[in-house]
PDB file of all heavy atoms in Angstrom:
ATOM      1  N   TRP A1356      10.612  13.986  -6.088  1.00 73.00           N
ATOM      2  CA  TRP A1356      10.659  12.905  -5.143  1.00 73.00           C
ATOM      3  C   TRP A1356      10.273  11.620  -5.943  1.00 73.00           C
ATOM      4  O   TRP A1356       9.380  11.668  -6.752  1.00 73.00           O
ATOM      5  CB  TRP A1356       9.662  13.156  -4.007  1.00 73.00           C
ATOM      6  CG  TRP A1356       9.424  12.029  -3.057  1.00 73.00           C
ATOM      7  CD1 TRP A1356       8.245  11.465  -2.786  1.00 73.00           C
ATOM      8  CD2 TRP A1356      10.392  11.372  -2.264  1.00 73.00           C
ATOM      9  NE1 TRP A1356       8.344  10.469  -1.881  1.00 73.00           N
ATOM     10  CE2 TRP A1356       9.679  10.393  -1.541  1.00 73.00           C
ATOM     11  CE3 TRP A1356      11.741  11.490  -2.084  1.00 73.00           C
ATOM     12  CZ2 TRP A1356      10.340   9.489  -0.619  1.00 73.00           C
ATOM     13  CZ3 TRP A1356      12.388  10.624  -1.219  1.00 73.00           C
ATOM     14  CH2 TRP A1356      11.690   9.642  -0.473  1.00 73.00           C
ATOM     15  N   LYS A1357      10.980  10.565  -5.751  1.00 74.00           N
ATOM     16  CA  LYS A1357      10.900   9.486  -6.620  1.00 74.00           C
ATOM     17  C   LYS A1357       9.628   8.663  -6.536  1.00 74.00           C
ATOM     18  O   LYS A1357       9.209   7.933  -7.474  1.00 74.00           O
ATOM     19  CB  LYS A1357      12.087   8.502  -6.544  1.00 74.00           C
ATOM     20  CG  LYS A1357      12.231   7.866  -5.161  1.00 74.00           C
ATOM     21  CD  LYS A1357      13.462   6.950  -5.164  1.00 74.00           C
ATOM     22  CE  LYS A1357      13.739   6.371  -3.788  1.00 74.00           C
ATOM     23  NZ  LYS A1357      14.777   5.321  -3.824  1.00 74.00           N
ATOM     24  N   TYR A1358       8.939   8.780  -5.435  1.00 76.00           N
ATOM     25  CA  TYR A1358       7.724   7.891  -5.260  1.00 76.00           C
ATOM     26  C   TYR A1358       6.437   8.617  -5.618  1.00 76.00           C
ATOM     27  O   TYR A1358       5.647   7.988  -6.409  1.00 76.00           O
ATOM     28  CB  TYR A1358       7.634   7.449  -3.770  1.00 76.00           C
ATOM     29  CG  TYR A1358       8.820   6.626  -3.386  1.00 76.00           C
ATOM     30  CD1 TYR A1358       9.715   7.059  -2.431  1.00 76.00           C
ATOM     31  CD2 TYR A1358       8.992   5.345  -3.944  1.00 76.00           C
ATOM     32  CE1 TYR A1358      10.832   6.303  -2.038  1.00 76.00           C
ATOM     33  CE2 TYR A1358      10.173   4.612  -3.556  1.00 76.00           C
ATOM     34  CZ  TYR A1358      11.031   5.099  -2.607  1.00 76.00           C
ATOM     35  OH  TYR A1358      12.090   4.329  -2.186  1.00 76.00           O
ATOM     36  N   CYS A1359       6.179   9.767  -5.104  1.00 77.00           N
ATOM     37  CA  CYS A1359       4.820  10.334  -5.216  1.00 77.00           C
ATOM     38  C   CYS A1359       4.327  10.546  -6.670  1.00 77.00           C
ATOM     39  O   CYS A1359       3.194  10.259  -6.885  1.00 77.00           O
ATOM     40  CB  CYS A1359       4.716  11.582  -4.394  1.00 77.00           C
ATOM     41  SG  CYS A1359       4.848  11.241  -2.598  1.00 77.00           S
ATOM     42  N   PRO A1360       5.121  11.123  -7.556  1.00 79.00           N
ATOM     43  CA  PRO A1360       4.571  11.412  -8.835  1.00 79.00           C
ATOM     44  C   PRO A1360       3.995  10.154  -9.579  1.00 79.00           C
ATOM     45  O   PRO A1360       3.078  10.310 -10.369  1.00 79.00           O
ATOM     46  CB  PRO A1360       5.746  11.984  -9.588  1.00 79.00           C
ATOM     47  CG  PRO A1360       6.620  12.542  -8.565  1.00 79.00           C
ATOM     48  CD  PRO A1360       6.479  11.568  -7.450  1.00 79.00           C
ATOM     49  N   SER A1361       4.555   9.010  -9.270  1.00 82.00           N
ATOM     50  CA  SER A1361       4.122   7.807 -10.004  1.00 82.00           C
ATOM     51  C   SER A1361       3.095   7.031  -9.198  1.00 82.00           C
ATOM     52  O   SER A1361       2.631   5.959  -9.638  1.00 82.00           O
ATOM     53  CB  SER A1361       5.344   6.899 -10.261  1.00 82.00           C
ATOM     54  OG  SER A1361       5.945   6.461  -9.103  1.00 82.00           O
ATOM     55  N   ARG A1362       2.731   7.537  -8.082  1.00 88.00           N
ATOM     56  CA  ARG A1362       1.800   6.818  -7.241  1.00 88.00           C
ATOM     57  C   ARG A1362       0.361   6.921  -7.774  1.00 88.00           C
ATOM     58  O   ARG A1362      -0.109   8.049  -7.987  1.00 88.00           O
ATOM     59  CB  ARG A1362       1.858   7.295  -5.803  1.00 88.00           C
ATOM     60  CG  ARG A1362       1.250   6.409  -4.795  1.00 88.00           C
ATOM     61  CD  ARG A1362       1.639   6.816  -3.363  1.00 88.00           C
ATOM     62  NE  ARG A1362       0.694   7.828  -2.915  1.00 88.00           N
ATOM     63  CZ  ARG A1362       0.785   8.383  -1.646  1.00 88.00           C
ATOM     64  NH1 ARG A1362       1.758   8.044  -0.880  1.00 88.00           N
ATOM     65  NH2 ARG A1362      -0.067   9.282  -1.298  1.00 88.00           N
ATOM     66  N   PRO A1363      -0.321   5.791  -7.897  1.00 90.00           N
ATOM     67  CA  PRO A1363      -1.709   5.935  -8.391  1.00 90.00           C
ATOM     68  C   PRO A1363      -2.624   6.452  -7.306  1.00 90.00           C
ATOM     69  O   PRO A1363      -2.306   6.491  -6.143  1.00 90.00           O
ATOM     70  CB  PRO A1363      -2.082   4.446  -8.677  1.00 90.00           C
ATOM     71  CG  PRO A1363      -1.178   3.657  -7.825  1.00 90.00           C
ATOM     72  CD  PRO A1363       0.080   4.436  -7.661  1.00 90.00           C
ATOM     73  N   GLU A1364      -3.810   6.820  -7.711  1.00 89.00           N
ATOM     74  CA  GLU A1364      -4.788   7.431  -6.788  1.00 89.00           C
ATOM     75  C   GLU A1364      -5.230   6.395  -5.759  1.00 89.00           C
ATOM     76  O   GLU A1364      -5.326   6.733  -4.552  1.00 89.00           O
ATOM     77  CB  GLU A1364      -5.974   7.954  -7.569  1.00 89.00           C
ATOM     78  CG  GLU A1364      -6.865   8.845  -6.650  1.00 89.00           C
ATOM     79  CD  GLU A1364      -7.943   9.517  -7.440  1.00 89.00           C
ATOM     80  OE1 GLU A1364      -7.954   9.465  -8.706  1.00 89.00           O
ATOM     81  OE2 GLU A1364      -8.841  10.126  -6.809  1.00 89.00           O
ATOM     82  N   TYR A1365      -5.373   5.147  -6.141  1.00 92.00           N
ATOM     83  CA  TYR A1365      -5.695   4.079  -5.274  1.00 92.00           C
ATOM     84  C   TYR A1365      -4.700   2.970  -5.221  1.00 92.00           C
ATOM     85  O   TYR A1365      -4.162   2.678  -6.342  1.00 92.00           O
ATOM     86  CB  TYR A1365      -7.082   3.526  -5.611  1.00 92.00           C
ATOM     87  CG  TYR A1365      -8.226   4.525  -5.608  1.00 92.00           C
ATOM     88  CD1 TYR A1365      -8.670   5.094  -6.754  1.00 92.00           C
ATOM     89  CD2 TYR A1365      -8.752   4.953  -4.336  1.00 92.00           C
ATOM     90  CE1 TYR A1365      -9.691   6.050  -6.691  1.00 92.00           C
ATOM     91  CE2 TYR A1365      -9.756   5.885  -4.280  1.00 92.00           C
ATOM     92  CZ  TYR A1365     -10.166   6.433  -5.500  1.00 92.00           C
ATOM     93  OH  TYR A1365     -11.170   7.410  -5.422  1.00 92.00           O
ATOM     94  N   PRO A1366      -4.385   2.424  -4.117  1.00 94.00           N
ATOM     95  CA  PRO A1366      -3.370   1.399  -4.041  1.00 94.00           C
ATOM     96  C   PRO A1366      -3.678   0.107  -4.889  1.00 94.00           C
ATOM     97  O   PRO A1366      -2.798  -0.455  -5.552  1.00 94.00           O
ATOM     98  CB  PRO A1366      -3.314   1.015  -2.530  1.00 94.00           C
ATOM     99  CG  PRO A1366      -3.895   2.201  -1.846  1.00 94.00           C
ATOM    100  CD  PRO A1366      -4.916   2.746  -2.760  1.00 94.00           C
ATOM    101  N   LEU A1367      -4.893  -0.357  -4.783  1.00 91.00           N
ATOM    102  CA  LEU A1367      -5.295  -1.561  -5.470  1.00 91.00           C
ATOM    103  C   LEU A1367      -6.060  -1.238  -6.735  1.00 91.00           C
ATOM    104  O   LEU A1367      -6.934  -0.405  -6.756  1.00 91.00           O
ATOM    105  CB  LEU A1367      -6.155  -2.461  -4.528  1.00 91.00           C
ATOM    106  CG  LEU A1367      -5.530  -2.925  -3.254  1.00 91.00           C
ATOM    107  CD1 LEU A1367      -6.506  -3.625  -2.385  1.00 91.00           C
ATOM    108  CD2 LEU A1367      -4.299  -3.747  -3.440  1.00 91.00           C
ATOM    109  N   LEU A1368      -5.644  -1.879  -7.811  1.00 76.00           N
ATOM    110  CA  LEU A1368      -6.289  -1.652  -9.067  1.00 76.00           C
ATOM    111  C   LEU A1368      -7.482  -2.544  -9.191  1.00 76.00           C
ATOM    112  O   LEU A1368      -7.566  -3.678  -8.702  1.00 76.00           O
ATOM    113  CB  LEU A1368      -5.322  -1.918 -10.240  1.00 76.00           C
ATOM    114  CG  LEU A1368      -4.021  -1.190 -10.140  1.00 76.00           C
ATOM    115  CD1 LEU A1368      -3.072  -1.749 -11.201  1.00 76.00           C
ATOM    116  CD2 LEU A1368      -4.185   0.273 -10.331  1.00 76.00           C
TER     117      LEU A1368
END
Side-chain angles (χ1 to χ4, degrees):
W1356 172 238
K1357 62 179 175 172
Y1358 298 112
C1359 293
S1361 62
R1362 198 168 85 179
E1364 194 173 349
Y1365 300 102
L1367 301 174
L1368 307 170

